[in-house]
Amino acid sequence: MPEGMPEGGVEVLRAMQVPTQRIIAIGLVLWAVALVVTLLVPALHEGERSWWPWGCVAGFVLGTIGFAYVRRGRGNAHDAG
């Protein structure tokens, strides 16, 4: 029987290790870039698109909250068992 297979024949699954903080940080940078672009290009924040900068701000704020949550150790599955 292969390693990691219990007697019942069902494979034991393990959580993937992903760089969560790095992924969130990249997302924050992308939201900040999107905000700058929408503010610099008038066609992206005038008329029916006037909410686009606020969407970028919301993404950045929620990402910051998520980053703080993960950084404190509550959002990662490292200690989950």
Side-chain angles (χ1 to χ4, degrees):
M1 202 174 284
E3 186 178 333
M5 294 282 267
E7 302 258 343
V10 178
E11 185 178 352
V12 176
L13 299 177
R14 296 188 190 106
M16 288 179 47
Q17 297 294 327
V18 295
T20 310
Q21 290 182 15
R22 183 179 303 157
I23 292 170
I24 296 172
I26 291 169
L28 286 172
V29 169
L30 291 175
W31 278 119
V33 168
L35 177 61
V36 169
V37 169
T38 56
L39 291 175
L40 290 177
V41 179
L44 296 179
H45 67 265
E46 293 176 349
E48 292 184 14
R49 296 179 179 158
S50 63
W51 62 271
W52 282 20
W54 292 109
C56 296
V57 169
F60 187 81
V61 169
L62 291 173
T64 302
I65 292 169
F67 186 78
Y69 183 77
V70 169
R71 190 157 173 91
R72 289 188 66 179
R74 295 181 179 173
N76 57 19
H78 185 297
D79 296 329

